[in-house]
Amino acid sequence: MSDPDGPRPDLAKALAGQTGGLCGAAVPGAILLSTGLYAGAVGFVAEVHDEAPALDPLWEDVMEASFRPASERTRLVQWDGEEAWDLGLVRTDYRVRYCARGMDEAQELPTRVTGEPEADSYLLQFWPAPPSPDRVVRHTSRTAGHLHGYARATARTPEQLAEAERHTRELFQQAAAERAERAAEERRLHYRQWEWGGRLPSERLQAARESNVLGLLRFDSDLVHALDVVGPEVQRAVALLAARRACDAAGLTDVPWVAHALSALTEGRPLPPPFDDPALLRETLRSDPRVPDTSVREATPPERPPYLPPTTDTAHAVALVHPDVTPYTPGLISQPHFALPAVLAAAGPAPLVAALDAVCHALHTHGEHYPRLLAEIRSACTERVGSIAAALRIRTTPARLVDVTAVAPRLAPLARTATRLHPRPGSPTPYDSSVGGPLLWPADEPWPYCDKPHEWDQVNEVLSPQDVRRQRRVRAAAANRPGGDPQGSRYTPEESAIDERIKAGRPWPKGPIALLPVAQLYVRDVPTLRPPGHTGADLLQVLWCPFDHPAQPETALFWRSAAAVTDILDTPPEPPAIQYPGYLPEPCLLAPEQITEYPDFRELDKELRHQLEEWRRWQAADTPLDRSDTPCSKDFYSGLYRDRLSVAPGWKVGGWTRWDLTDPEPRLCPSCGADMDPLLTIASAEWNTGDTDWTPIEDRALSSSTTEPAPWNPTMLDLARGYDLQLHVCPASPDHPHIELVQ
C-alpha cells in the first residue's frame, strides 16, 4: 500500500479487468497479494532492482503487473495490519513481478504455527518500467489457477472466457514441459558435477576437454579447479615445473637435447630439434644411448564411489551390486616415454591446457610415486599465485628525505619494520590476501554476528551493502567518463533515477547483524605477521559490525591455519544495512612492502625531541630542503620528522602507532596488563593528498586524479571523518581481547 488514507482493496476490485489473479493491481496505489496459506507465516522476500531481474526457474507461479506509488512511502502490509515494512520506492512507474512456490501444499493446511516447516514462499520484485497490461508468466499450481480463473471470469464474454481457458491449458502444458526440461537439466548437471569432482567446471575447463583434464580429474580434482583460476602466468610456471619434474624422474635432465628443450621452455623460445618433429623425436628417444632405461609401476588413481543418479523416490531407489572382479595389478611403464610428452605439452599455446597436460604426463612419469609430485605442484601453485600477483601490483615507497638516525643516532634502536599493504582495486579470491574480499571461512563454522544494540542517528539514510555498491558504480561511471563529475551533476537520466532510489534509504534493521569482511592476511604475503602467543596459525581474518560501537565499527579477529580449511563457505551472510557507506570496504588485492618506521614525535623522550628540534643537526646531516621548506622554528623540524620521516600513513601491519587526535596513552592488555603490540592499521587514506612523501612511486602520476575510487583511498573507507582505526593485540595470547584506537 502507498496511499496512507486509502482503504484496503477487496479482491474483486483489485483484480478488475486483469487476466491474472495472483496479484491484483487494478486499484491505483495498491497491490493485493494472495498466498496459499490461510493463516500463519510464509516465506517472503521483497526486492527493488534497477532493471528487470532474471527469472529463477524454481518459482512455480509467476505473474507481472504495473504499479505506481501514490505517495513517497510504499509499505508491505500484513492483511491484519499488525506489521508493515517500508519498501523504499520512489514515485515512478514500476513493473511488479510476484513469484510463488508451494501454494497447493499450503492450501491444504488450515494454519501454520511456529516451529512447523515452511509450506509456501514468495518473491516480490520491483523495477522501473512504463505501464503495460498484467501478464501470467508461469502457471503451475491449482491454487493460482483458481485465482486466475476468478479474475478472467469477472465481467467477461463467453468468448473471452473460452480464450482464458485455452490460455490456462497452454500455461499448464508449458509448465509441465518446463518441469520435464528442468529435471533433465538437473540430471545432466548432477552427472557433470560428479564427473568433475563435486563441482561444475568453468567455461575454460569445459573448453579444455580435449586435453588430459578428465584423466587428471581422477587423481586430483581440486588441483584441476585450482589450475583453472590461478591465471596464465601461474599456469605457465606450473607447466614448466611439471615438465622439469617429469624429466628429473625419468633421468633425462642431463641428456643434452632434453636440457636444451628445458632451457627453451624457461626462456619462452620454441622447442629445438628433435622436439619440432614427432618422428625424429621418437627415433632419437629410441636410438640415443644416453637415454636411461628407467621404469616405474604405473600410477593408479584413488578409488571413487560409482555414480548414483539423483532420486527423491525412496520406493524406487537404485541398489548397486558390485560384482566380484579380479583386482587390477599395475604394470611397469617406461618413464622417458611419458616424460617427453610433458615437455611438448608445456610448450603448448594455451596456458591452461599446457598446465593440465604437462601435469598429467608428469604424474604418469612418476607412476606410483605421483602423490609427491602433486603435493609439490599444489604448493608451487599457491606460492606462485601470491608472488606473481604481488609483482603485478608492486608499489614502492620513495626513499626518505634523510636518514633520520644521522640527525639523532639514539633513534636507531627504536626502528621497527612495518609492512605497508598497498590495497588496490581487484577481484580477490578466498586464497588471496585482501581488503574487503571473500574469506577462507570454513563451511562448518558459524558466521559471526553482532548482537549489541544498533541505534539510528535519525539523520543518515540507511543503505544496504548492495545499495552502496550500486551507488559507487553509478558515481564511478559519472566520474570516469570524459568531463565526468562524481558529485552527480552530469549523471545520465538512468543514473539519476538509480541514485534517487538509493537515497530513499531502507528500514532500520532489527536483531543481530552479520559481520562484514574487512581484511584477510596470509603470513606468506606478510612475513612480519605473527599470531599472539605463536599459535602456528598462518592466516588472520578481520571482520567488523558496520555500525558505531560507540563511535566506530567494532572489529573481530580470527586466527586460523589455512591448510585446515578444506570446505569453504560459498555465500556468507551480509548485513541488511550499514550505518555509513564508508564502512563497506571495496574489494582490493594487496602489494605488501616492508619499510622502516620510527616512533611518533610525541612518544619520544624529552632529550630526543630536543635533538630533533635543533636545526644544526639537520644541517649537519645534509638534509635537502627546497625554498618552500625554509625553516622558521623548531616546530618546523619536529613536523618534518613527524609527517615525513617517522610513521607511514595508510594500511599497514606492525610498525609504530600514529597519534593524531590525542596524545599518546598506554595500550595495556585488559586481561594481563601487558604492553600491547600494533597489529593492523585500517586506514581512510593511503597518503596525504597535500604532499607526495609517502605516495608510492607508481602512483605519483595519479596522486591528484579525480577518478573513482580515488587513488589515495582505493578501499573507499571513511572512518571517523578520515581517520584510521588501529588494532593492538596482546603478545601473550590470542585469547586476550584486542583494543581499538582511532587516530
Side-chain angles (χ1 to χ4, degrees):
M1 299 184 66
S2 62
D3 184 354
D5 301 321
R8 181 182 290 109
D10 61 28
L11 185 61
K13 292 179 180 179
L15 300 180
Q18 291 192 173
T19 60
L22 194 59
C23 71
V27 176
I31 305 175
L32 186 64
L33 305 168
S34 295
T35 64
L37 190 67
Y38 177 77
V42 300
F44 205 104
V45 174
E47 299 175 345
V48 182
H49 296 265
D50 297 328
E51 57 187 18
L55 177 58
D56 192 324
L58 294 178
W59 295 107
E60 298 169 349
D61 293 281
V62 182
M63 179 179 167
E64 291 181 1
S66 291
F67 173 70
R68 184 179 182 87
S71 71
E72 294 296 337
R73 189 179 185 189
T74 302
R75 300 182 301 160
L76 180 67
V77 185
Q78 283 185 341
W79 178 254
D80 56 12
E82 277 189 358
E83 197 165 356
W85 299 267
D86 286 327
L87 295 176
L89 301 180
V90 298
R91 297 186 68 178
T92 189
D93 290 317
Y94 289 95
R95 191 65 173 170
V96 183
R97 179 186 294 159
Y98 187 46
C99 307
R101 181 170 53 203
M103 292 190 76
D104 285 347
E105 292 82 352
Q107 186 74 29
E108 296 174 359
L109 301 175
T111 59
R112 176 183 174 229
V113 298
T114 303
E116 289 184 342
E118 183 180 277
D120 50 343
S121 56
Y122 302 87
L123 172 65
L124 181 65
Q125 297 174 313
F126 296 86
W127 66 91
S132 60
D134 69 289
R135 182 170 71 102
V136 176
V137 179
R138 184 175 296 150
H139 175 198
T140 303
S141 70
R142 297 186 307 274
T143 304
H146 293 322
L147 291 167
H148 296 325
Y150 177 80
R152 290 166 184 156
T154 304
R156 294 189 178 276
T157 65
E159 292 77 11
Q160 290 174 322
L161 185 58
E163 175 63 21
E165 291 175 350
R166 184 191 65 79
H167 183 62
T168 299
R169 286 195 301 272
E170 290 180 352
L171 285 172
F172 264 117
Q173 293 170 356
Q174 178 183 352
E178 289 178 353
R179 286 196 299 271
E181 184 178 348
R182 286 199 302 271
E185 177 66 9
E186 288 173 1
R187 289 193 297 271
R188 188 182 68 83
L189 291 177
H190 189 269
Y191 178 79
R192 283 184 63 200
Q193 188 170 354
W194 173 86
E195 180 185 34
W196 288 86
R199 70 191 83 172
L200 291 174
S202 67
E203 292 183 1
R204 295 180 300 273
L205 279 177
Q206 189 64 29
R209 283 185 68 104
E210 299 304 319
S211 68
N212 287 293
V213 61
L214 295 182
L216 186 57
L217 276 170
R218 299 168 57 212
F219 288 89
D220 194 333
S221 61
D222 288 340
L223 178 59
V224 168
H225 291 281
L227 287 173
D228 175 40
V229 301
V230 294
E233 295 87 357
V234 180
Q235 291 161 357
R236 283 293 179 200
V238 167
L240 176 59
L241 175 63
R244 286 190 174 278
R245 291 296 179 263
C247 292
D248 288 341
L252 293 172
T253 308
D254 294 331
V255 177
W257 51 275
V258 176
H260 292 160
L262 293 175
S263 296
L265 275 180
T266 303
E267 298 167 8
R269 295 183 285 106
L271 292 178
F275 286 88
D276 57 348
D277 184 336
L280 180 60
L281 180 62
R282 289 193 297 269
E283 176 59 26
T284 306
L285 178 63
R286 184 192 66 80
S287 60
D288 190 338
R290 294 170 295 187
V291 174
D293 183 17
T294 57
S295 61
V296 69
R297 198 164 299 280
E298 64 182 306
T300 303
E303 290 189 11
R304 184 182 185 187
Y307 174 68
L308 285 174
T311 177
T312 58
D313 187 356
T314 56
H316 297 86
V318 177
L320 291 177
V321 178
H322 296 275
D324 293 331
V325 295
T326 303
Y328 174 73
T329 302
L332 295 177
I333 57 102
S334 169
Q335 290 178 291
H337 286 81
F338 279 89
L340 295 187
V343 178
L344 291 169
L352 175 58
V353 173
L356 294 169
D357 282 348
V359 171
C360 190
H361 290 303
L363 179 154
H364 288 290
T365 305
H366 281 73
E368 60 186 319
H369 308 299
Y370 77 86
R372 290 181 300 188
L373 169 75
L374 294 187
E376 183 182 8
I377 293 291
R378 283 193 296 270
S379 175
C381 185
T382 301
E383 293 172 0
R384 291 288 293 173
V385 168
S387 61
I388 290 174
L392 295 176
R393 299 184 307 276
I394 191 168
R395 291 296 185 273
T396 310
T397 299
R400 297 300 83 204
L401 188 69
V402 64
D403 180 3
V404 74
T405 60
V407 179
R410 283 188 55 218
L411 284 171
L414 300 178
R416 286 183 182 176
T417 298
T419 302
R420 297 189 75 184
L421 298 179
H422 298 305
R424 295 298 181 267
S427 300
T429 73
Y431 303 99
D432 294 314
S433 293
S434 65
V435 167
L439 303 183
L440 190 78
W441 194 270
D444 58 354
E445 182 175 326
W447 189 262
Y449 281 74
C450 175
D451 55 6
K452 296 183 178 180
H454 302 94
E455 300 297 333
W456 185 24
D457 58 14
Q458 302 295 324
V459 175
N460 295 282
E461 295 294 348
V462 180
L463 303 180
S464 70
Q466 295 85 351
D467 291 334
V468 176
R469 297 184 186 108
R470 190 179 297 118
Q471 190 176 62
R472 287 175 178 175
R473 289 196 297 269
V474 168
R475 293 181 177 177
N480 298 336
R481 69 169 63 101
D485 179 4
Q487 300 306 315
S489 62
R490 298 187 182 181
Y491 280 179
T492 65
E494 293 79 8
E495 291 169 346
S496 296
I498 293 173
D499 194 53
E500 287 301 316
R501 286 197 298 275
I502 293 172
K503 287 179 180 178
R506 290 182 180 269
W508 188 255
K510 300 178 182 179
I513 298 293
L515 301 193
L516 270 176
V518 177
Q520 174 169 269
L521 303 175
Y522 285 88
V523 172
R524 68 165 189 261
D525 299 322
V526 189
T528 57
L529 184 68
R530 286 292 180 268
H534 305 287
T535 62
D538 61 353
L539 177 61
L540 169 64
Q541 294 169 330
V542 183
L543 301 91
W544 67 23
C545 174
F547 291 85
D548 285 341
H549 293 285
Q552 77 275 337
E554 185 172 80
T555 55
L557 308 183
F558 295 86
W559 296 92
R560 67 174 80 252
S561 169
V565 183
T566 57
D567 191 9
I568 305 174
L569 181 64
D570 291 329
T571 55
E574 276 198 332
I578 59 178
Q579 187 156 359
Y580 303 111
Y583 289 173
L584 178 68
E586 193 71 9
C588 289
L589 290 162
L590 309 181
E593 175 201 21
Q594 291 188 359
I595 62 167
T596 300
E597 288 190 340
Y598 298 94
D600 187 282
F601 183 80
R602 286 170 285 186
E603 289 205 77
L604 301 175
D605 60 38
K606 185 176 180 180
E607 180 183 349
L608 260 177
R609 293 200 301 268
H610 179 68
Q611 291 178 4
L612 290 171
E613 291 172 342
E614 293 181 0
W615 68 270
R616 290 185 179 86
R617 288 179 172 270
W618 294 91
Q619 189 178 46
D622 295 326
T623 305
L625 301 176
D626 57 31
R627 293 181 180 178
S628 63
D629 290 329
T630 303
C632 56
S633 69
K634 64 180 183 180
D635 291 338
F636 170 82
Y637 289 106
S638 62
L640 175 64
Y641 170 80
R642 182 183 64 249
D643 299 331
R644 302 167 68 178
L645 299 172
S646 57
V647 183
W651 285 73
K652 67 175 183 178
V653 169
W656 283 93
T657 301
R658 172 183 290 274
W659 298 94
D660 282 326
L661 284 173
T662 66
D663 288 332
E665 57 187 32
R667 283 85 70 202
L668 303 178
C669 176
S671 295
C672 66
D675 288 330
M676 303 190 80
D677 296 332
L679 173 67
L680 174 67
T681 297
I682 301 171
S684 296
E686 284 293 281
W687 62 80
N688 187 336
T689 57
D691 60 63
T692 59
D693 283 278
W694 293 103
T695 306
I697 295 172
E698 296 80 4
D699 292 320
R700 282 188 166 179
L702 300 173
S703 59
S704 60
S705 171
T706 59
T707 58
E708 289 280 312
W712 58 87
N713 188 17
T715 64
M716 304 192 80
L717 291 184
D718 184 7
L719 301 169
R721 297 186 177 181
Y723 286 93
D724 299 342
L725 180 62
Q726 304 180 54
L727 308 183
H728 294 70
V729 292
C730 177
S733 172
D735 298 325
H736 291 182
H738 66 285
I739 61 173
E740 301 167 339
L741 178 67
V742 174
Q743 291 290 329

